[in-house]
Amino acid sequence: ADKLTHSYAYGGVGLLINTINDNFDLDVQRFVMLDFSSSSALIDLVGGINVDVKPEEVKYANQSINEENTLMETNVPYLTSAGVQNLNGIQAIAWSRIRHADSDFVRTSRQRVIASALIKKLAGLNIAQQLAFVDDSVGMFETNMSKADLIRVGTSAIGLVKNMVEYRIPDDGLFTIQDNPWMMIINWDEQLPRLREYIWGVQ
């Protein structure tokens, strides 16, 4: 057994997709994959996103910003206060990567907040701006979809933003924790039917 997230390191996006399909009984064929760098670039492309930063998160976000500045040789400003504020790409990704303020569940929740905020920001643009975004962002992320496919799927999905919902796996009560190495052991017999019901509305 190994961590799901290790599959990309072992075999790139092909093995990652195959691992997701095998474990979750899915048939994902087309993908758009964002890493921290490409996510940061896309956030900057739309002029930043609004995030509600909690007081206890400011210190840890700034530690992460400092790490990003050192790694990327940038000079991104630190956060000076809590509250709702517009974060640029590195600030937003640094905030989403906070590990020590709370739990791993909260950290992944932050990453979902960032993704949702970016989608909502795109949904607020007019059609010309959305098309320009696709033009400007091509090459910033890894995908096996054509530009035409990205535009078609993107424009179809934009209309659904107001009804956007999310589902976290594993579901509450359907996993145990292994300490060394740390990983979640999922109760697949119960988790997979719940996932199918969430996606397709059937068991």
Side-chain angles (χ1 to χ4, degrees):
D2 203 345
K3 294 185 178 183
L4 178 66
T5 51
H6 287 178
S7 58
Y8 181 79
Y10 294 149
V13 68
L15 182 60
L16 175 61
I17 295 296
N18 288 341
T19 303
I20 290 171
N21 284 337
D22 288 345
N23 281 277
F24 297 105
D25 193 24
L26 299 173
D27 186 29
V28 174
Q29 297 294 326
R30 294 186 293 177
F31 68 90
V32 172
M33 190 181 71
L34 304 177
D35 59 14
F36 290 125
S37 177
S38 57
S39 298
S40 175
L42 293 179
I43 290 168
D44 284 338
L45 202 55
V46 297
I49 55 175
N50 289 335
V51 174
D52 186 4
V53 180
K54 303 294 187 294
E56 64 272 17
E57 295 173 332
V58 174
K59 176 179 76 171
Y60 297 106
N62 284 337
Q63 289 174 358
S64 191
I65 290 171
N66 184 59
E67 292 172 3
E68 292 292 330
N69 277 336
T70 301
L71 180 66
M72 305 297 292
E73 297 184 349
T74 52
N75 190 29
V76 172
Y78 297 114
L79 306 186
T80 58
S81 62
V84 177
Q85 52 199 289
N86 185 266
L87 302 184
N88 66 28
I90 287 181
Q91 289 171 330
I93 297 305
W95 175 80
S96 76
R97 296 183 71 182
I98 293 173
R99 289 180 174 272
H100 304 296
D102 31 54
S103 69
D104 190 62
F105 280 127
V106 180
R107 180 173 65 91
T108 58
S109 175
R110 288 190 194 95
Q111 293 169 359
R112 293 194 298 276
V113 166
I114 293 297
S116 296
L118 178 57
I119 291 169
K120 289 175 182 176
K121 187 73 177 281
L122 284 169
L125 302 178
N126 61 43
I127 295 296
Q129 291 170 322
Q130 291 169 358
L131 293 176
F133 174 84
V134 174
D135 277 335
D136 293 342
S137 65
V138 169
M140 288 184 174
F141 50 83
E142 192 170 353
T143 183
N144 63 351
M145 297 173 66
S146 68
K147 179 180 169 183
D149 284 338
L150 289 171
I151 292 172
R152 179 179 54 80
V153 172
T155 52
S156 299
I158 286 295
L160 305 175
V161 167
K162 291 182 179 178
N163 298 317
M164 188 166 54
V165 294
E166 62 181 53
Y167 179 64
R168 170 182 53 81
I169 295 177
D171 211 337
D172 292 338
L174 297 188
F175 66 94
T176 56
I177 299 294
Q178 173 182 293
D179 288 329
N180 189 23
W182 191 96
M183 66 176 71
M184 295 176 179
I185 309 300
I186 300 176
N187 179 345
W188 295 108
D189 290 339
E190 293 190 42
Q191 180 62 81
L192 292 183
R194 290 196 193 184
L195 176 61
R196 285 193 289 270
E197 183 176 13
Y198 175 75
I199 297 174
W200 294 290
V202 294
Q203 290 276 335

